[in-house]
Amino acid sequence: MIAPRQKAHRPALPSSISTPSLPPRSSRPQPLTRRTTLKRSLDESNVMDVPSSPSKRSRVTFDSDVEIVSADDEEDLDPLVVREQVRRAIERHRLREDEAYERVKSYFSTPPDKSNAPSTKTLKMHLHALLANVTSLDKECSGLVNAILYSEWIGREEQYYALFVRFLNNLAAAQRGYQSKIMAMLVDLLGTQKTRRVQGAAPVRQPKVHRRVMQAIHHIAHNVPSSPAALADRIASRLEFDFQKGEERMTYIRNFMEMINYVPELTSEILNLVLRELIKLDVAVQVDLDEEEEDAEDDLLSHMSSSQTLVPGSSQDMLKGGLDDQSDDASTTDESDMEEDESDDAATVRRRKLKEDIKQVDLIMEILFQYYARLTASSTLQTRDSTIEQIISQFHTQILPTYRARHPQFLVFHFAQADPIIVDRFVTSCVAVLVDKKQPHHLRHSAAAYFSGFVGRGAHVSPQVVQDCLELLCDHLTILRKTYEPGCRGPDLKRYGDFYAAFQAILYIFCFRWRDIASSSDDESDFEVDEEEVETFHFPESLRESLRAAMYSPLNPLRVCTPVIVEQFAKLTHALQLFYIYPKLEENRHVRVTTHWRDMSDLAISNPERDLSWVGDNGILEGYFPYDPYHLPISKHWIEGDYVAWKGIPGEEAEDTDSEDDEGMDVTGLDDDDVENDDEEELDQEFHGE
């Protein structure tokens, strides 16, 4: 390289040897002193030729006999000289002189398994130099910074790892523009990783890789206040990625949940992002199941249950170990899976992916159950209270607006029953949405479904709360009826959707909790003993009047509500001698459900008023009961004891109670689609006298 002409008043460290100025003839040439960072390939006894003209200063020329020290000549490297070389390389890069800059960059971009790869000692010395010049690494040096960030550092010795974390911390603090890149690099390392093997260092396997990354994130987040925001953005972006393998998704989610311990200020953001990923996956599973045969979920879940040993503690051990314990032969397994996929037909591949997705939903539910269980068991009241607040908040912001979620809502179902105060807290929050006319239609209808499902299915919801909730719904139903009745010309789901949602909620609660609603002349503790003596059960007159006025009003809710639950209600109230509504059901066969939109343009996607997710076929209120039976094999143990099962109708045979009616109420349970179809067919035959 051509070295610049040196000024007499500022000695410099040249990168090459140039021909010196001619000394006076009377003086003898002095022997040249060898520099520490340069060496000659020619013999030192060979003295440079003297220029022919002593009156002229010699020009700076390139000496081909001088070469830069390579990474193998570590004993000749001086840290101070390297620091100066790095500083000058950055300065010259701004002047478009990139030779030295590219050389420094190549140290970090060369893979460690290459024959010309620099040693860890060389990299360490240059990283020290870059750390000293970190304020100079602005956006013009982004190429060098990228080479450093994506170099092999996580698999090297402890000293180099610690130095690299210091560099990341200082770079994030001095150059805020690089924070996103730094966090992106660190978050990407939290996925599945192969064992790192660098010469001169012990192998670094995936658990240690993840632990080192967590420690680096903690160090940076603690020292750079603005970095957690960049970290949260990168986590969100990472989870938006369409994972091809469930293994990769679960590795990230486990590590993100673990990250809460290292960056507690991101607790809320991480929990929201993980829940959002769970909901997205859960809904995708429901869509795929709709395309499968009716018994698809039964087959998949039974296969999953039989292939796993579900004993207490096993799921927790699996989550802790999980996918961290991977061998170096992962690529071989992946290749065999790919070959297997290629040989299978599309239906088999789709079924295999569906089974894997269901397992992931199960695992994520188990992770969240474990996390919240630990916090709700805390001895600190503030911790318990903030945890419940977090769960209820997530329910209202993410679960409630989601159309037909199947499993995430069981988090609030389980933890909201932990205490009577929390029960009241959750129920009140649902009622607030249900009666708020400023809320969109679909939110009010979803709130009614979740409200009735929680009260009807929650085993720890006391009879007094059930009675209070039913009374509140009846009052609300009466208010809506008196509001809509004067202008009503017939059942219209879109116009009177609030009324029908409230009516169906009452029917659902009644079908599951009628024993807690009724009073008896006998001892209340003997309700279940004398079920056949139905004349001993008495129901509040306010309930009778509210339901009778609603059923025989022009709004005609029995024509609009889900046929299966209407049929169960008819059977139950007839057995309890509360109502006999079969003539009304027969009459409804001839009632046409009207709608107030005029043409198909009212249903256009561009219409901001379009909100028909709650409208089923033929204008019937869709039967969405969010707390139907929970069958995920790994996490279902959390729900045991929380759930009120369908106990059938008094007077019916036991086998009918256990088989048909129990499943008939679970019309939206994905494992009970066949039951729904059978019940609706049976009801249709009864209506038509077949």
Side-chain angles (χ1 to χ4, degrees):
M1 183 177 71
I2 300 176
R5 183 178 301 173
Q6 300 180 2
K7 295 182 181 181
H9 63 278
R10 183 183 178 185
L13 295 172
S15 58
S16 64
I17 301 296
S18 60
T19 305
S21 301
L22 188 64
R25 294 181 181 272
S26 59
S27 61
R28 298 183 60 182
Q30 299 295 324
L32 297 176
T33 303
R34 183 181 181 183
R35 298 184 182 275
T36 58
T37 60
L38 302 173
K39 66 181 182 179
R40 290 186 181 277
S41 59
L42 298 180
D43 188 74
E44 288 292 340
S45 61
N46 294 339
V47 183
M48 297 179 182
D49 294 336
V50 178
S52 59
S53 176
S55 62
K56 293 183 179 180
R57 294 177 57 89
S58 60
R59 293 189 305 168
V60 177
T61 60
F62 178 77
D63 191 340
S64 61
D65 295 332
V66 178
E67 58 183 12
I68 304 299
V69 173
S70 67
D72 296 330
D73 300 318
E74 296 172 347
E75 65 279 1
D76 293 335
L77 290 177
D78 185 337
L80 296 178
V81 174
V82 172
R83 180 181 298 185
E84 179 64 15
Q85 286 178 336
V86 168
R87 183 191 67 79
R88 294 182 66 183
I90 295 173
E91 288 183 353
R92 291 177 180 179
H93 172 66
R94 294 192 177 92
L95 302 175
R96 302 297 185 268
E97 298 179 15
D98 294 337
E99 184 178 352
Y101 175 86
E102 292 295 332
R103 184 169 62 251
V104 175
K105 180 179 172 182
S106 68
Y107 286 147
F108 295 93
S109 60
T110 304
D113 56 347
K114 297 293 184 181
S115 59
N116 62 337
S119 65
T120 299
K121 182 177 180 181
T122 301
L123 289 176
K124 188 188 303 182
M125 199 168 297
H126 282 81
L127 192 59
H128 268 295
L130 288 163
L131 183 61
N133 293 279
V134 71
T135 55
S136 300
L137 297 176
D138 54 16
K139 62 181 181 180
E140 294 185 2
C141 297
S142 60
L144 175 60
V145 171
N146 285 339
I148 298 170
L149 293 182
Y150 291 97
S151 63
E152 179 53 72
W153 63 276
I154 199 71
R156 297 188 184 271
E157 61 184 29
E158 288 291 339
Q159 290 183 346
Y160 185 84
Y161 158 73
L163 176 63
F164 199 91
V165 172
R166 281 182 54 203
F167 172 78
L168 294 178
N169 180 82
N170 289 12
L171 180 64
Q175 305 290 345
R176 186 170 181 176
Y178 288 122
Q179 288 183 9
S180 295
K181 284 187 178 182
I182 294 172
M183 292 305 174
M185 179 270 296
L186 292 173
V187 168
D188 289 347
L189 287 172
L190 292 176
T192 54
Q193 300 291 324
K194 293 183 178 180
T195 300
R196 307 301 180 93
R197 303 180 188 276
V198 178
Q199 186 176 5
V204 178
R205 305 186 187 280
Q206 177 171 286
K208 189 172 183 179
V209 170
H210 292 163
R211 185 167 60 252
R212 282 184 164 187
V213 173
M214 292 292 188
Q215 292 169 349
I217 290 175
H218 171 73
H219 183 75
I220 297 171
H222 179 73
N223 293 292
V224 185
S226 59
S227 61
L231 176 60
D233 290 341
R234 183 56 190 174
I235 294 174
S237 300
R238 182 72 265 181
L239 287 178
E240 288 175 358
F241 182 76
D242 187 15
F243 297 98
Q244 296 299 319
K245 296 183 180 296
E247 174 184 357
E248 188 177 5
R249 176 187 281 111
M250 291 309 305
T251 302
Y252 275 115
I253 288 179
R254 285 192 186 94
N255 283 324
F256 292 156
M257 293 298 295
E258 179 67 19
M259 192 184 294
I260 292 175
N261 298 323
Y262 291 87
V263 192
E265 56 266 38
L266 289 184
T267 297
S268 180
E269 289 85 347
I270 292 175
L271 290 174
N272 286 331
L273 291 171
V274 171
L275 179 61
R276 187 179 70 182
E277 181 68 11
L278 170 63
I279 293 173
K280 180 180 71 175
L281 186 61
D282 183 62
V283 171
V285 167
Q286 314 315 313
V287 173
D288 291 341
L289 282 172
D290 290 341
E291 299 176 358
E292 293 287 330
E293 299 176 357
E294 293 180 356
D295 58 347
E297 189 178 13
D298 287 335
D299 294 342
L300 290 170
L301 290 175
S302 62
H303 175 76
M304 291 171 61
S305 299
S306 62
S307 63
Q308 299 176 41
T309 304
L310 299 177
V311 296
S314 64
S315 59
Q316 186 173 4
D317 295 339
M318 179 176 57
L319 288 170
K320 287 184 177 180
L323 304 172
D324 284 344
D325 303 328
Q326 299 176 25
S327 67
D328 297 332
D329 301 329
S331 59
T332 305
T333 304
D334 294 343
E335 292 174 1
S336 63
D337 290 343
M338 292 176 62
E339 293 175 359
E340 190 177 62
D341 289 348
E342 292 175 358
S343 63
D344 293 334
D345 56 26
T348 303
V349 173
R350 185 172 63 252
R351 179 65 67 91
R352 184 185 300 117
K353 182 180 184 303
L354 182 56
K355 183 175 70 173
E356 180 63 27
D357 289 345
I358 293 175
K359 182 178 180 181
Q360 289 178 65
V361 171
D362 199 2
L363 286 172
I364 298 174
M365 288 295 296
E366 177 70 18
I367 291 173
L368 292 175
F369 271 126
Q370 288 185 11
Y371 175 80
Y372 285 122
R374 185 172 65 253
L375 294 180
T376 54
S378 172
S379 58
T380 306
L381 176 61
Q382 182 179 0
T383 300
R384 298 196 304 270
D385 188 70
S386 62
T387 301
I388 295 299
E389 182 64 31
Q390 172 85 20
I391 296 172
I392 295 178
S393 174
Q394 287 181 337
F395 168 80
H396 283 284
T397 57
Q398 298 198 59
I399 298 175
L400 185 63
T402 302
Y403 177 59
R404 294 181 71 90
R406 178 68 178 88
H407 296 101
Q409 58 264 32
F410 279 91
L411 290 168
V412 72
F413 181 81
H414 172 72
F415 291 107
Q417 295 187 63
D419 185 89
I421 296 177
I422 304 175
V423 170
D424 291 342
R425 191 170 170 181
F426 176 66
V427 167
T428 302
S429 69
C430 290
V431 172
V433 178
L434 174 63
V435 302
D436 186 1
K437 291 188 176 297
K438 295 180 180 179
Q439 297 289 346
H441 287 292
H442 74 278
L443 280 185
R444 299 206 297 273
H445 299 162
S446 293
Y450 280 104
F451 173 78
S452 61
F454 181 80
V455 175
R457 290 287 204 175
H460 304 295
V461 179
S462 67
Q464 183 61 51
V465 172
V466 173
Q467 296 170 16
D468 292 343
C469 289
L470 200 62
E471 182 180 357
L472 185 150
L473 277 175
C474 287
D475 291 343
H476 181 59
L477 184 72
T478 301
I479 294 173
L480 292 175
R481 177 180 60 80
K482 291 181 178 179
T483 301
Y484 294 143
E485 202 170 30
C488 178
R489 292 178 293 181
D492 187 340
L493 178 56
K494 188 174 182 183
R495 179 173 290 179
Y496 311 124
D498 292 352
F499 174 82
Y500 300 122
F503 184 84
Q504 183 156 294
I506 293 175
L507 265 57
Y508 190 85
I509 294 175
F510 183 88
C511 287
F512 282 96
R513 304 300 292 266
W514 64 268
R515 295 168 180 81
D516 296 322
I517 300 168
S519 60
S520 173
S521 57
D522 300 326
D523 184 6
E524 294 185 0
S525 63
D526 297 332
F527 279 177
E528 297 188 15
V529 176
D530 301 325
E531 283 184 356
E532 294 185 359
E533 299 181 9
V534 293
E535 67 275 2
T536 63
F537 294 98
H538 304 283
F539 296 90
E541 190 62 29
S542 59
L543 174 66
R544 288 175 176 268
E545 293 301 324
S546 179
L547 290 178
R548 179 180 288 108
M551 288 187 294
Y552 294 97
S553 72
L555 296 164
N556 198 356
L558 294 177
R559 176 64 181 86
V560 175
C561 290
T562 305
V564 174
I565 192 171
V566 171
E567 176 69 9
Q568 296 296 335
F569 179 74
K571 292 180 181 179
L572 182 59
T573 53
H574 175 56
L576 295 172
Q577 299 184 1
L578 178 61
F579 296 114
Y580 184 72
I581 61 175
Y582 285 106
K584 181 65 176 176
L585 298 182
E586 179 65 21
E587 177 186 328
N588 282 342
R589 289 179 49 209
H590 309 288
V591 176
R592 179 182 177 184
V593 178
T594 60
T595 55
H596 73 277
W597 50 73
R598 296 182 175 83
D599 52 39
M600 292 303 295
S601 63
D602 289 339
L603 303 181
I605 295 178
S606 59
N607 186 356
E609 298 296 327
R610 180 179 180 272
D611 179 19
L612 304 176
S613 60
W614 42 273
V615 178
D617 296 334
N618 301 319
I620 301 298
L621 183 64
E622 186 162 5
Y624 177 48
F625 306 105
Y627 292 117
D628 274 349
Y630 187 100
H631 296 305
L632 295 179
I634 298 174
S635 55
K636 69 179 181 181
H637 64 96
W638 292 97
I639 306 301
E640 295 174 357
D642 293 342
Y643 207 70
V644 173
W646 173 249
K647 297 180 180 179
I649 297 173
E652 289 193 349
E653 295 296 331
E655 57 268 20
D656 295 335
T657 299
D658 294 337
S659 60
E660 296 180 3
D661 294 329
D662 188 16
E663 295 178 347
M665 289 304 298
D666 303 325
V667 294
T668 57
L670 294 175
D671 54 331
D672 299 317
D673 288 341
D674 51 338
V675 178
E676 177 184 359
N677 294 335
D678 292 341
D679 284 345
E680 289 184 340
E681 183 178 339
E682 178 184 351
L683 183 61
D684 185 66
Q685 292 174 354
E686 181 179 349
F687 278 174
H688 291 80
E690 298 178 3

